[in-house]
Amino acid sequence: VYSVAVMEKTYDIAQLAQMTGLTDRTLRSDLKKGILTGTLLNGKWQCSPQQVQQFFDTPAVCARIKAKQDALIADFLKNAYIQSGAEQLTVLDWPQISPQKVQDILDYTLPLVNDPQYERPRFSFRYQNGRARMVLIGSQPALRRLCGALAFE
């Protein structure tokens, strides 16, 4: 009899930092305080989709992520005239979305955002109470590639 362990998708601290805009240090502090839970595997923290969902559902965390997204948008708008169209801002909102669909979107988006063959846009994601928001800032080709890939939503 053979036993096959099914590996559940997990997110590491770097991926959580990238999607939330929070720093590695802040996320490690949240782990220490128990606000974020995870498993230490081979020296790296790994968080299951359920643990990430619980983290996103924490009102104080959602407020911090929202503040980071708002600052990202404000900085873009403040500096847009300097960049003279070099970058664009895209905000994608999902007013009603299931946790499973959120996981599907993140599983699809994170590899695209981190693909070394392409320019890496700035990226932030927030999910709470069945609503999600993704903020993307980058060149028109980079955003077109990401938004086109997300058109399945």
Side-chain angles (χ1 to χ4, degrees):
V1 174
Y2 293 96
S3 173
V4 178
V6 176
M7 295 296 294
E8 179 182 34
K9 168 67 181 166
T10 61
Y11 301 98
D12 63 26
I13 295 298
Q15 289 172 314
L16 288 173
Q18 184 179 29
M19 76 174 83
T20 63
L22 302 175
T23 65
D24 288 14
R25 185 176 181 171
T26 297
L27 292 168
R28 291 180 193 288
S29 175
D30 286 345
L31 278 163
K32 192 174 185 178
K33 293 175 186 174
I35 296 168
L36 173 62
T37 58
T39 304
L40 191 58
L41 295 172
N42 299 321
K44 287 181 73 174
W45 282 101
Q46 299 291 319
C47 301
S48 71
Q50 295 81 13
Q51 291 168 322
V52 172
Q53 180 60 50
Q54 289 172 344
F55 184 64
F56 280 156
D57 286 342
T58 305
V61 170
C62 195
R64 285 189 282 160
I65 296 169
K66 181 182 182 312
K68 288 286 188 176
Q69 283 185 338
D70 290 349
L72 193 63
I73 293 168
D75 286 347
F76 173 83
L77 294 174
K78 184 173 93 175
N79 295 317
Y81 70 94
I82 296 171
Q83 297 165 357
S84 65
E87 287 191 321
Q88 294 184 345
L89 165 73
T90 299
V91 178
L92 302 170
D93 284 318
W94 290 271
Q96 291 294 323
I97 189 166
S98 71
Q100 180 57 51
K101 195 54 99 173
V102 167
Q103 184 178 343
D104 292 345
I105 289 169
L106 290 174
D107 289 348
Y108 197 79
T109 305
L110 285 171
L112 288 173
V113 169
N114 291 312
D115 188 337
Q117 295 180 357
Y118 297 98
E119 171 198 341
R120 293 178 66 172
R122 286 174 281 167
F123 160 76
S124 178
F125 187 83
R126 179 179 79 217
Y127 177 71
Q128 186 179 32
N129 300 326
R131 297 175 57 166
R133 170 169 281 181
M134 183 182 295
V135 175
L136 298 160
I137 297 176
S139 70
Q140 184 179 18
L143 297 189
R144 184 177 294 135
R145 180 176 64 87
L146 280 167
C147 293
L150 289 169
F152 68 88
E153 252 331 289

